[in-house]
Amino acid sequence: MTLPLIRKPPAARGAEPQLRDYAAARAAFSWADARRELAGLPGGGVNIAYEALDRHVIAGRGIARALRWIGKDDTVRDFSYADLAAATSRFANVLASLGVKRGERVFSLLGRQPALYAAALGTLKAGCVFSPLFSAFGPEPVLARLTIGAGSVLVTTAVLYARKVAPIRDQLKSLKHVILVGGADDRSPTDARDFDRALAAVPPEFAPVVTAPEDMALLHFTSGTTGKPKGAIHVRDAVLAHRVTGRYALDLRPGDVFWCTADPGWVTGMSYGIIAPLVLGATLLVDEAEFDAERWYRLLARERVTVWYTAPTAIRMLMKIGVDPVAHADLTRLRFMASVGEPLNAEAVVWSAQTFGRPFHDNWWQTETGGIMIANFAALDVKPGSVGVPLPGIEAGIVARRNGRIEPIAAPMAMGELALRPGWPSMFRGYLGETERYERCSADGWYLTGDLAMRDGDGYYWFVGRADEVIKSAGHLIGPFEVESALMEHRAVAEVGVIGKPDPTAGETVKAFVALKAGFTPSDALRKDLLGHARVKLGLALAPREIDFRENLPKTRSGKIMRRLLKARELGLPEGDLSTLESDE
Ligand code: ATP
Ligand code: MG
């Protein structure tokens, strides 16, 4: 918070931001007006695949590139909007030929390969519900999610099927059809369909099903950072929020080369890795390979990426290896960089501004909100460490729950729960099969996010921590993020997770787990140095009492630090549901 404001020139590098005047846009915005941007279907229908693909083809933009796919071996495959429109029509025809009805659930368990994109949008075109699973899940997480979602179709590969689905197949009561990308092998079910052959056998035309705005479209499972993953229901109308937020918060426009590094197995990889950029006429860059700093810098330069959306884990890894990207590659095309998913330490924002000549723009949202809610915008100054300001059309607040009532807190920098006024189209409509849990997070006209935050006098929001991760120590409420951020400023620290450790006198004391950068080794002297650094930065009340060194910190499959696991391990407690960590890889 003490770090300098990053001031923006009036127009960043010759490109006027999509949202030039935040205050004016916010004052003028209404979802009803924004709705006019959708092409729509007769009778008020909304089909996400139509908005993402067919609409562009009908408008004569079919030859524009929709997707550039880069294989692990650097193979490049390009797909135009017309190509994807045809492939998704074929997939919709395949579903129809199998007798799959509107509203049925189609799951994917695929790596980032072109078929995943055709299946996702083809499913939506056919009026079915799409639920993507992260391909590194083991059999148990696959079983849990397919069961909650009552999946009737699964699109996967023979290898993934044999390893992750075959062991649980007899428990998958609702699963009727398996479609295999890349063909079957001798471990595949005999009735499995071959993806390419099935698509080739049906016509490339399909009239998008006229789905209603409130029809279920997507089922997204949360990351499972704090407990068992929940299945959030999203409706067709969410596409309006994807469009608006992609334009405002990510500054997307036609012709952009957009790289969202999130896997489509998570909500970011679907809302912004597929839907928003296509709806807005951009080109998706998809890399099949996993994180590799050199490769990433090479791709950013070679593919002339203009907008890059990634996550703090990756940013911290880039910081850790300490390569100068600009000396390494020509990144002059890069116009806008954003981050989401975890707190982005101020340190990382300042590093990016110094290293790339422009900062990462942190933004905040969650699976439940379906789209970006609070963001650092291209046109606004960035306060490093802040998640930014609410999007036009989004009313946020800091609130306290008191005796079942919700009281907004107006005082600047007072800590409370981050809450949102429902009414934006991508707000989830429930947790599938968990009505009570859904009801617990709304009260007095607010949706309660479960995150703690503060708002400063300029209206910028500051993430404090998850409500159940906040530390209560000797009468102080301490957000792990603030302590972690202070430690991140130390030159030896690559990653840090902070927990509250029960203590008979203080209630809890602050304990930090630190992973060091290359070139540093754990020692008592370094521990003392870190404790000293933290005391100077934070003061005695907030500084950690203990610091342990770890080679790596436990993370969810989507790469978030799992503080609850650090705590469970520290206290010797049961580790709870680890389904998000399980993998047989
Ligand atoms: P689960 O709900 O299953 O415990 P999860 O909350 O990690 O998992 P997601 O919906 O993927 O599942 O993540 C949303 C959460 O991630 C937010 O509620 C917040 O705690 C955190 N988060 C997202 N973006 C940011 C950000 N920019 N800064 C700080 N925290 C963030
Ligand atoms: Mg959550």
Side-chain angles (χ1 to χ4, degrees), residues 251-269:
D251 200 38
L252 285 172
R253 60 193 74 188
D256 264 330
V257 178
F258 176 57
W259 190 16
C260 170
T261 63
D263 189 274
W266 309 109
V267 69
T268 307

mmCIF file of all heavy atoms in Angstrom, residues 251-269:
data_model
loop_
_atom_site.group_PDB
_atom_site.id
_atom_site.type_symbol
_atom_site.label_atom_id
_atom_site.label_comp_id
_atom_site.label_asym_id
_atom_site.label_seq_id
_atom_site.Cartn_x
_atom_site.Cartn_y
_atom_site.Cartn_z
ATOM 1 N N ASP A 251 -10.013 -4.791 -22.060
ATOM 2 C CA ASP A 251 -9.767 -3.876 -23.179
ATOM 3 C C ASP A 251 -9.775 -4.609 -24.529
ATOM 4 O O ASP A 251 -9.103 -4.203 -25.475
ATOM 5 C CB ASP A 251 -8.416 -3.152 -22.961
ATOM 6 C CG ASP A 251 -8.324 -1.871 -23.785
ATOM 7 O OD1 ASP A 251 -9.348 -1.173 -23.899
ATOM 8 O OD2 ASP A 251 -7.233 -1.573 -24.321
ATOM 9 N N LEU A 252 -10.530 -5.707 -24.607
ATOM 10 C CA LEU A 252 -10.521 -6.510 -25.841
ATOM 11 C C LEU A 252 -11.289 -5.835 -26.970
ATOM 12 O O LEU A 252 -12.303 -5.174 -26.748
ATOM 13 C CB LEU A 252 -11.159 -7.877 -25.574
ATOM 14 C CG LEU A 252 -10.293 -8.861 -24.801
ATOM 15 C CD1 LEU A 252 -11.116 -10.093 -24.429
ATOM 16 C CD2 LEU A 252 -9.068 -9.254 -25.625
ATOM 17 N N ARG A 253 -10.786 -6.048 -28.178
ATOM 18 C CA ARG A 253 -11.423 -5.487 -29.372
ATOM 19 C C ARG A 253 -11.130 -6.405 -30.561
ATOM 20 O O ARG A 253 -10.218 -7.234 -30.480
ATOM 21 C CB ARG A 253 -10.878 -4.086 -29.622
ATOM 22 C CG ARG A 253 -9.371 -4.085 -29.854
ATOM 23 C CD ARG A 253 -8.789 -2.706 -29.793
ATOM 24 N NE ARG A 253 -8.717 -2.215 -28.417
ATOM 25 C CZ ARG A 253 -8.383 -0.964 -28.096
ATOM 26 N NH1 ARG A 253 -8.107 -0.086 -29.008
ATOM 27 N NH2 ARG A 253 -8.308 -0.590 -26.830
ATOM 28 N N PRO A 254 -11.874 -6.234 -31.666
ATOM 29 C CA PRO A 254 -11.638 -7.083 -32.842
ATOM 30 C C PRO A 254 -10.182 -6.965 -33.282
ATOM 31 O O PRO A 254 -9.599 -5.881 -33.227
ATOM 32 C CB PRO A 254 -12.576 -6.507 -33.903
ATOM 33 C CG PRO A 254 -13.627 -5.794 -33.143
ATOM 34 C CD PRO A 254 -12.974 -5.278 -31.892
ATOM 35 N N GLY A 255 -9.607 -8.071 -33.678
ATOM 36 C CA GLY A 255 -8.231 -8.051 -34.168
ATOM 37 C C GLY A 255 -7.185 -8.283 -33.094
ATOM 38 O O GLY A 255 -6.018 -8.517 -33.392
ATOM 39 N N ASP A 256 -7.597 -8.235 -31.823
ATOM 40 C CA ASP A 256 -6.628 -8.511 -30.761
ATOM 41 C C ASP A 256 -6.160 -9.960 -30.840
ATOM 42 O O ASP A 256 -6.938 -10.857 -31.196
ATOM 43 C CB ASP A 256 -7.282 -8.299 -29.369
ATOM 44 C CG ASP A 256 -7.004 -6.918 -28.803
ATOM 45 O OD1 ASP A 256 -5.935 -6.360 -29.121
ATOM 46 O OD2 ASP A 256 -7.855 -6.405 -28.064
ATOM 47 N N VAL A 257 -4.900 -10.176 -30.487
ATOM 48 C CA VAL A 257 -4.419 -11.540 -30.244
ATOM 49 C C VAL A 257 -4.392 -11.677 -28.733
ATOM 50 O O VAL A 257 -3.609 -11.012 -28.055
ATOM 51 C CB VAL A 257 -3.016 -11.770 -30.843
ATOM 52 C CG1 VAL A 257 -2.548 -13.183 -30.520
ATOM 53 C CG2 VAL A 257 -3.044 -11.527 -32.334
ATOM 54 N N PHE A 258 -5.287 -12.492 -28.239
ATOM 55 C CA PHE A 258 -5.528 -12.544 -26.805
ATOM 56 C C PHE A 258 -5.062 -13.873 -26.249
ATOM 57 O O PHE A 258 -5.481 -14.932 -26.710
ATOM 58 C CB PHE A 258 -7.027 -12.358 -26.544
ATOM 59 C CG PHE A 258 -7.407 -12.499 -25.097
ATOM 60 C CD1 PHE A 258 -6.821 -11.712 -24.125
ATOM 61 C CD2 PHE A 258 -8.371 -13.413 -24.707
ATOM 62 C CE1 PHE A 258 -7.183 -11.834 -22.785
ATOM 63 C CE2 PHE A 258 -8.745 -13.545 -23.374
ATOM 64 C CZ PHE A 258 -8.143 -12.758 -22.420
ATOM 65 N N TRP A 259 -4.215 -13.802 -25.247
ATOM 66 C CA TRP A 259 -3.736 -15.031 -24.624
ATOM 67 C C TRP A 259 -4.197 -15.070 -23.176
ATOM 68 O O TRP A 259 -3.704 -14.320 -22.337
ATOM 69 C CB TRP A 259 -2.214 -15.115 -24.692
ATOM 70 C CG TRP A 259 -1.685 -16.455 -24.283
ATOM 71 C CD1 TRP A 259 -2.391 -17.619 -24.163
ATOM 72 C CD2 TRP A 259 -0.331 -16.774 -23.934
ATOM 73 N NE1 TRP A 259 -1.561 -18.641 -23.779
ATOM 74 C CE2 TRP A 259 -0.292 -18.156 -23.625
ATOM 75 C CE3 TRP A 259 0.849 -16.038 -23.863
ATOM 76 C CZ2 TRP A 259 0.876 -18.804 -23.246
ATOM 77 C CZ3 TRP A 259 2.014 -16.684 -23.485
ATOM 78 C CH2 TRP A 259 2.026 -18.049 -23.188
ATOM 79 N N CYS A 260 -5.155 -15.955 -22.915
ATOM 80 C CA CYS A 260 -5.608 -16.223 -21.559
ATOM 81 C C CYS A 260 -4.953 -17.541 -21.188
ATOM 82 O O CYS A 260 -5.230 -18.560 -21.812
ATOM 83 C CB CYS A 260 -7.140 -16.340 -21.534
ATOM 84 S SG CYS A 260 -7.790 -16.952 -19.985
ATOM 85 N N THR A 261 -4.086 -17.517 -20.196
ATOM 86 C CA THR A 261 -3.316 -18.737 -19.916
ATOM 87 C C THR A 261 -4.093 -19.736 -19.053
ATOM 88 O O THR A 261 -3.621 -20.837 -18.823
ATOM 89 C CB THR A 261 -1.974 -18.405 -19.226
ATOM 90 O OG1 THR A 261 -2.257 -17.802 -17.961
ATOM 91 C CG2 THR A 261 -1.140 -17.450 -20.072
ATOM 92 N N ALA A 262 -5.279 -19.350 -18.583
ATOM 93 C CA ALA A 262 -6.061 -20.271 -17.746
ATOM 94 C C ALA A 262 -6.605 -21.412 -18.592
ATOM 95 O O ALA A 262 -7.033 -21.205 -19.724
ATOM 96 C CB ALA A 262 -7.212 -19.525 -17.083
ATOM 97 N N ASP A 263 -6.631 -22.604 -18.026
ATOM 98 C CA ASP A 263 -7.172 -23.761 -18.732
ATOM 99 C C ASP A 263 -8.701 -23.664 -18.763
ATOM 100 O O ASP A 263 -9.318 -23.249 -17.777
ATOM 101 C CB ASP A 263 -6.753 -25.024 -17.973
ATOM 102 C CG ASP A 263 -7.085 -26.285 -18.736
ATOM 103 O OD1 ASP A 263 -8.237 -26.780 -18.605
ATOM 104 O OD2 ASP A 263 -6.211 -26.775 -19.466
ATOM 105 N N PRO A 264 -9.327 -24.062 -19.880
ATOM 106 C CA PRO A 264 -10.795 -24.007 -19.919
ATOM 107 C C PRO A 264 -11.468 -24.918 -18.888
ATOM 108 O O PRO A 264 -12.674 -24.846 -18.708
ATOM 109 C CB PRO A 264 -11.138 -24.475 -21.343
ATOM 110 C CG PRO A 264 -9.906 -24.200 -22.132
ATOM 111 C CD PRO A 264 -8.756 -24.423 -21.183
ATOM 112 N N GLY A 265 -10.685 -25.732 -18.182
ATOM 113 C CA GLY A 265 -11.239 -26.514 -17.074
ATOM 114 C C GLY A 265 -11.667 -25.646 -15.899
ATOM 115 O O GLY A 265 -12.346 -26.109 -14.999
ATOM 116 N N TRP A 266 -11.260 -24.387 -15.902
ATOM 117 C CA TRP A 266 -11.659 -23.441 -14.841
ATOM 118 C C TRP A 266 -12.478 -22.323 -15.462
ATOM 119 O O TRP A 266 -12.380 -22.049 -16.656
ATOM 120 C CB TRP A 266 -10.420 -22.834 -14.168
ATOM 121 C CG TRP A 266 -9.470 -23.882 -13.735
ATOM 122 C CD1 TRP A 266 -8.257 -24.153 -14.284
ATOM 123 C CD2 TRP A 266 -9.664 -24.861 -12.704
ATOM 124 N NE1 TRP A 266 -7.683 -25.209 -13.641
ATOM 125 C CE2 TRP A 266 -8.529 -25.670 -12.668
ATOM 126 C CE3 TRP A 266 -10.710 -25.110 -11.798
ATOM 127 C CZ2 TRP A 266 -8.388 -26.722 -11.773
ATOM 128 C CZ3 TRP A 266 -10.565 -26.157 -10.904
ATOM 129 C CH2 TRP A 266 -9.408 -26.948 -10.890
ATOM 130 N N VAL A 267 -13.206 -21.613 -14.631
ATOM 131 C CA VAL A 267 -14.139 -20.615 -15.146
ATOM 132 C C VAL A 267 -13.411 -19.521 -15.953
ATOM 133 O O VAL A 267 -13.932 -19.042 -16.969
ATOM 134 C CB VAL A 267 -14.985 -20.025 -13.995
ATOM 135 C CG1 VAL A 267 -14.148 -19.164 -13.076
ATOM 136 C CG2 VAL A 267 -16.187 -19.266 -14.508
ATOM 137 N N THR A 268 -12.206 -19.146 -15.541
ATOM 138 C CA THR A 268 -11.493 -18.100 -16.297
ATOM 139 C C THR A 268 -11.212 -18.570 -17.724
ATOM 140 O O THR A 268 -11.350 -17.804 -18.680
ATOM 141 C CB THR A 268 -10.149 -17.747 -15.617
ATOM 142 O OG1 THR A 268 -10.408 -17.428 -14.255
ATOM 143 C CG2 THR A 268 -9.465 -16.576 -16.292
ATOM 144 N N GLY A 269 -10.839 -19.828 -17.850
ATOM 145 C CA GLY A 269 -10.511 -20.372 -19.170
ATOM 146 C C GLY A 269 -11.733 -20.516 -20.066
ATOM 147 O O GLY A 269 -11.608 -20.648 -21.290
#
